[in-house]
Amino acid sequence: MRRKIGVYIIILSMITGSCGSQEEKVKNVSWPDIQAPVATIKPYTRVVHGDTVVDNYYWLNDYFKKGPDSTSVIKYLEEENAYTTAMLKSTEPLQMKLYNEMKARVKEKDESVPYLENGYYYYRRTDEGRQYFKFCRKKGGLDGAEEVLLDVDEMAKGMAYYAVSGLEISPDNRYLAYGVDTVSRREYVIYIKDLQTGEVMKDRITQTTGAGVWAADSKTLFYTHKNPVTLLSEKIKKHVLGTSNVVDVEVYHEQDNTNYIGVSKSKNGNYIFIESEGTLSSEVRYLPAEQPNETFRVFQKRQNDVLYSVAALDDRFLVTTNKDAQNFRVMSCGLDATTQDNWIDFIPHRGDVLIEGVDEFKDFLVVSERKNGLTNLTIHDLKNNTSYPLDFGEATYTVRPSVNVEYNTDVFRYGYTSLVTPVSTFEYNMRSKEKSLLKQQEVLGGYNMDEYLTERTFAKVRDGVLVPISLVYKKGTKKDGSAPLHLYAYGSYGASMDPSFSSARLSLLNRGFIYAIAHIRGGEEMGRQWYEDGKLQKKKNTFTDFIDCGKYLIENKYTSKGHLYAEGGSAGGLLMGAIVNMAPDLWNGVIAAVPFVDVVTTMLDESIPLTTNEYDEWGNPNEIEAYTYMKSYSPYENIEQKEYPNLLVTTGLHDSQVQYFEPAKWVAKLRALKKGNQVVLLKTDMDFGHGGASGRFDYLKDQALEYAFLLKLEGISD
């Protein structure tokens, strides 16, 4: 997904009814009298489908395009950074206080729950004062000698950004393959370390997604190769230890540039899978892991509007698919009869339950499901053909499978969290039905979940649909309209924004904020149809849902206009761009992180990373119907001369998902057209990309800046 991460020209009808008697005017916040940067106007004309558009700030993409204005682009971004720093100068003591208190809650010297794989226990541990981690293992048992496989703290020394991905141990336990990204564009170099000698081998595999999959011979590594320009995952290649990646053999080339591809291995170790998947269709190829030099076979040819994924048992394949099943079902087939005419129902389709995935074991199957907006786990006993759900007991929570790499085991691990429950790892014995807590995130300085309340409510939006909202706040917070409320959402790609705990968020809750998540359409919280109703020609439902959730929270006195704030990132940044155009007076402040706000221009440019992958999400603007609809909501296209809320916009110069020039152009145009005294601030991280800083503490500085922005607007200085 590119924009993990619109504006109307037509004024839509509003929900009837008052926003409540507690409505307050936006506060008169004192801002320094500093002239904001003014971007140079250089008209660029776009003509598509006979529609002529003049883009005055198109030149800001020159750094990305390596054009003649590259130096001017950097100068402008640095001016914006200086302006943001100056405007928020008064909040620097608060930023430091927030950073220190958030950092103080993090247990610096910590260790992940070890997991068993092929005779070794693997875990990550962190040391006090260090930004990264050490990847370690112990042979045979947890009382064995520690072997440090990677010391990422040492590897990252002197680097502004350093990310390690795709840690894969060979079947003979001797080699470790791992990916490294030092630019933050999600383009990794795969290295291979000989764990017997401790040496990093000369093998260097460039332009990858960072993950590799070992064949059974522990010498052959399959990996995904990226196009260096578009960053599309285009090819699956095969690398043999000790050879140059120049001679790596291409085993698959994806011809459909709207699909993502990847390579994986079945949990039982018997098969290697190549998955090709778009929004609307998928295709799997498979190969016995013991035969790396044979040809991959197609499991089932791709079909329009059919998605499927495959898991391998000892005697059959399980297929999770939406074929004739909108909310997906699980089917089975023989190991040598994989086409759909051989599929038979194992778990039938249910209209009220979305199947999100399966975890296979020798004697059991764990199915991740979603019903009425809540995640669930159901255990299936493959021997006696019985099943039962696990029970969790909170009103709003999130439960997901944890690390489960062993196939021949009766033990299943899952992670559990809620808005008040720190992340917890449980181990469940599927045979004895006994549960044990292995670890719960420790919040230093004292955290008592009984001091906080969580709620789940439903907002009736303008077309009559009920949209879930999850909320958390500290006990004693008044619900009379006077409390500030931070409303978050995403609403794209079918990605569900489930409630989870954040120790950093306590800094807002302890200062009187209510935090809320609007589970709007475009996600998949309420089933597959929830996603279908928030994409392509129905995308505007995402925006109106969020606005109507905001109004519901005001009408029910959780907050008021003068205290309502919104935040979203990536595709959620598109949401922010849309709602400030559609209902600018509803929000006192908005944070748009790495926002996808120039929808039409980006989706017309196939040289921009990942654009073609996303035609099935947004539409292909080369088709006039899609172009017209996109243009009707694209935030950049629809900026008007009117008052906008206070805005903090963040981006990264090396962002591979949403290029820096989208938010930069958006801010430049907003400044030129907006009325009123509300501020528009742009902060560009000149070292990082879409995900921000790589260190485990550095991101807290960005969090502190965002919180300080909200608190300043609330008149809270401490």
Side-chain angles (χ1 to χ4, degrees):
M1 294 183 286
R2 177 217 304 272
R3 351 272 182 193
K4 221 128 177 203
I5 43 132
V7 177
Y8 291 173
I9 300 174
I10 302 171
I11 298 177
L12 300 174
S13 61
M14 311 299 279
I15 290 181
T16 59
S18 169
C19 286
S21 61
Q22 289 293 332
E23 222 175 86
E24 297 179 12
K25 290 185 177 181
V26 173
K27 294 176 173 54
N28 292 318
V29 178
S30 175
W31 295 100
D33 186 15
I34 302 171
Q35 178 64 45
V38 178
T40 304
I41 291 176
K42 298 181 180 181
Y44 169 87
T45 302
R46 180 188 80 205
V47 181
V48 180
H49 304 301
D51 179 47
T52 300
V53 174
V54 177
D55 185 348
N56 288 330
Y57 306 104
Y58 185 83
W59 66 273
L60 283 169
N61 76 359
D62 261 25
Y63 179 80
F64 170 76
K65 298 281 190 178
K66 297 181 173 59
D69 281 318
S70 292
T71 302
S72 298
V73 170
I74 297 300
K75 183 175 182 293
Y76 171 71
L77 295 177
E78 289 174 341
E79 289 173 352
E80 287 284 1
N81 280 348
Y83 174 70
T84 296
T85 298
M87 293 295 283
L88 294 176
K89 186 74 175 176
S90 66
T91 71
E92 287 181 356
L94 177 58
Q95 289 182 49
M96 182 57 66
K97 182 175 183 178
L98 288 165
Y99 171 77
N100 287 335
E101 67 184 49
M102 290 188 289
K103 185 173 182 287
R105 297 189 190 108
V106 178
K107 186 177 181 181
E108 296 193 27
K109 188 175 180 61
D110 204 359
E111 188 175 295
S112 65
V113 178
Y115 62 89
L116 178 64
E117 182 176 15
N118 200 18
Y120 284 83
Y121 284 90
Y122 291 90
Y123 57 96
R124 299 184 186 199
R125 64 175 175 84
T126 54
D127 290 334
E128 191 169 349
R130 308 301 292 272
Q131 290 271 21
Y132 296 95
F133 64 91
K134 292 171 177 59
F135 180 50
C136 310
R137 72 179 180 184
K138 293 180 179 179
K139 187 175 183 179
L142 295 177
D143 56 351
E146 180 182 80
E147 183 181 357
V148 178
L149 307 183
L150 289 180
D151 186 339
V152 183
D153 286 305
E154 289 298 316
M155 296 160 63
K157 278 187 175 179
M159 306 295 294
Y161 182 91
Y162 200 89
V164 173
S165 175
L167 302 168
E168 291 289 333
I169 303 290
S170 60
D172 64 2
N173 293 320
R174 177 169 177 176
Y175 300 103
L176 167 63
Y178 60 96
V180 174
D181 174 15
T182 59
V183 182
S184 188
R185 282 185 66 77
R186 302 187 183 183
E187 185 177 13
Y188 292 81
V189 177
I190 292 178
Y191 297 86
I192 298 171
K193 184 174 182 179
D194 186 336
L195 302 179
Q196 184 172 299
T197 67
E199 298 296 322
V200 177
M201 302 176 69
K202 294 181 179 179
D203 306 55
R204 299 286 187 276
I205 309 173
T206 59
Q207 297 169 357
T208 80
T209 59
V213 174
W214 292 101
D217 62 5
S218 296
K219 295 180 180 178
T220 307
L221 188 75
F222 293 92
Y223 65 92
T224 307
H225 181 269
K226 282 190 168 187
N227 182 301
V229 177
T230 65
L231 298 186
L232 291 174
S233 51
E234 285 186 337
K235 301 174 182 178
I236 304 297
K237 290 188 174 185
K238 179 174 61 178
H239 178 78
V240 178
L241 278 182
T243 65
S244 169
N245 69 317
V246 175
V247 298
D248 287 355
V249 176
E250 177 186 307
V251 298
Y252 178 67
H253 188 170
E254 178 57 62
Q255 301 298 326
D256 186 345
N257 63 4
T258 67
N259 274 28
Y260 293 93
I261 63 171
V263 61
S264 64
K265 185 189 266 187
S266 63
K267 186 182 292 187
N268 64 12
N270 293 341
Y271 296 95
I272 294 172
F273 296 122
I274 293 175
E275 301 97 356
S276 174
E277 184 170 324
T279 305
L280 301 177
S281 69
S282 59
E283 185 175 77
V284 175
R285 285 169 165 75
Y286 68 108
L287 177 76
E290 293 183 346
Q291 302 172 19
N293 296 320
E294 296 300 313
T295 302
F296 280 84
R297 296 169 57 188
V298 176
F299 193 93
Q300 163 62 46
K301 289 184 178 179
R302 68 188 71 186
Q303 304 170 78
N304 290 335
D305 301 320
V306 174
L307 296 166
Y308 74 92
S309 60
V310 179
L313 300 179
D314 289 340
D315 59 347
R316 57 189 146 156
F317 288 116
L318 295 179
V319 183
T320 304
T321 181
N322 68 343
K323 180 173 174 56
D324 302 323
Q326 184 180 52
N327 275 341
F328 291 80
R329 57 179 169 168
V330 180
M331 311 190 80
S332 67
C333 65
L335 296 176
D336 294 315
T338 64
T339 54
Q340 67 180 30
D341 52 307
N342 297 292
W343 297 356
I344 59 174
D345 259 341
F346 180 75
I347 302 175
H349 175 258
R350 292 156 292 171
D352 62 341
V353 177
L354 173 69
I355 295 177
E356 295 192 314
V358 300
D359 261 274
E360 73 277 15
F361 300 88
K362 186 176 181 63
D363 294 332
F364 297 92
L365 186 71
V366 181
V367 182
S368 298
E369 301 174 337
R370 185 179 294 275
K371 183 176 182 180
N372 198 30
L374 291 176
T375 52
N376 297 287
L377 296 171
T378 297
I379 311 296
H380 291 258
D381 189 321
L382 298 174
K383 294 298 183 183
N384 60 29
N385 199 29
T386 59
S387 64
Y388 57 91
L390 298 184
D391 181 49
F392 303 105
E394 277 191 270
T396 179
Y397 63 87
T398 300
V399 63
R400 289 195 178 96
S402 185
V403 179
N404 292 283
V405 297
E406 286 287 297
Y407 175 72
N408 191 12
T409 181
D410 297 335
V411 172
F412 170 72
R413 288 183 178 179
Y414 64 88
Y416 180 89
T417 185
S418 74
L419 289 169
V420 297
T421 307
V423 177
S424 308
T425 301
F426 287 88
E427 189 166 83
Y428 182 79
N429 189 302
M430 296 177 283
R431 196 170 300 280
S432 68
K433 300 183 180 180
E434 294 175 334
K435 178 179 72 172
S436 60
L437 174 64
L438 299 180
K439 180 176 181 178
Q440 185 173 81
Q441 173 191 354
E442 187 175 347
V443 182
L444 300 186
Y447 167 69
N448 182 358
M449 63 183 294
D450 293 333
E451 295 180 0
Y452 301 85
L453 295 174
T454 182
E455 292 183 25
R456 189 165 184 255
T457 186
F458 289 83
K460 188 173 184 179
V461 299
R462 63 192 67 187
D463 63 356
V465 171
L466 294 175
V467 177
I469 304 174
S470 300
L471 302 105
V472 63
Y473 49 90
K474 193 167 187 178
K475 283 183 178 178
T477 301
K478 294 181 179 180
K479 289 191 286 186
D480 60 359
S482 63
L485 189 146
H486 181 196
L487 182 61
Y488 171 81
Y490 186 69
S492 290
Y493 304 105
S496 298
M497 296 296 105
D498 295 311
S500 61
F501 181 78
S502 165
S503 64
R505 188 188 301 134
L506 298 174
S507 291
L508 275 188
L509 303 185
N510 292 344
R511 289 172 171 84
F513 266 77
I514 297 173
Y515 177 81
I517 304 170
H519 304 287
I520 54 181
R521 282 175 285 186
E524 217 166 50
E525 286 92 336
M526 301 294 284
R528 185 70 177 180
Q529 191 62 48
W530 204 248
Y531 170 44
E532 299 291 342
D533 286 343
K535 59 181 279 199
L536 295 172
Q537 299 298 105
K538 296 181 179 180
K539 188 63 210 171
K540 292 178 183 178
N541 285 336
T542 302
F543 315 139
T544 55
D545 281 0
F546 189 82
I547 291 169
D548 292 349
C549 284
K551 291 179 177 178
Y552 170 89
L553 293 167
I554 291 171
E555 290 166 356
N556 286 273
K557 298 186 178 181
Y558 287 94
T559 190
S560 57
K561 274 190 178 182
H563 297 293
L564 181 58
Y565 302 90
E567 181 173 5
S570 199
L574 162 63
L575 171 66
M576 296 300 102
I579 59 108
V580 300
N581 281 325
M582 294 172 62
D585 64 333
L586 194 61
W587 325 97
N588 190 21
V590 172
I591 298 173
V594 291
F596 173 42
V597 283
D598 193 8
V599 182
V600 177
T601 307
T602 290
M603 294 304 294
L604 281 167
D605 190 347
E606 294 186 11
S607 72
I608 293 177
L610 312 181
T611 287
T612 56
N613 278 129
E614 306 204 347
Y615 287 158
D616 290 335
E617 180 73 24
W618 313 106
N620 183 347
N622 295 299
E623 300 168 359
I624 189 168
E625 183 181 20
Y627 173 87
T628 302
Y629 189 76
M630 282 184 197
K631 191 185 175 190
S632 74
Y633 69 72
S634 177
Y636 184 68
E637 301 277 344
N638 292 284
I639 297 171
E640 298 176 329
Q641 291 187 350
K642 60 187 178 185
E643 289 195 17
Y644 283 86
N646 297 287
L647 279 160
L648 173 61
V649 184
T650 65
T651 186
L653 183 62
H654 303 294
D655 197 328
S656 60
Q657 312 301 105
V658 179
Q659 309 300 318
Y660 71 88
F661 49 78
E662 291 199 43
K665 289 171 59 180
W666 184 48
V667 165
K669 189 174 180 181
L670 277 167
R671 286 253 185 74
L673 293 179
K674 81 175 187 71
K675 297 180 179 179
N677 298 320
Q678 287 72 30
V679 299
V680 178
L681 306 177
L682 174 65
K683 179 182 181 294
T684 303
D685 197 307
M686 308 302 280
D687 292 319
F688 306 140
H690 198 65
S694 55
R696 62 182 177 133
F697 302 125
D698 285 342
Y699 84 95
L700 292 175
K701 296 176 183 176
D702 295 329
Q703 190 79 80
L705 176 75
E706 293 177 3
Y707 283 1
F709 173 73
L710 298 177
L711 292 167
K712 180 177 177 66
L713 293 175
E714 270 300 301
I716 300 172
S717 59
D718 190 30

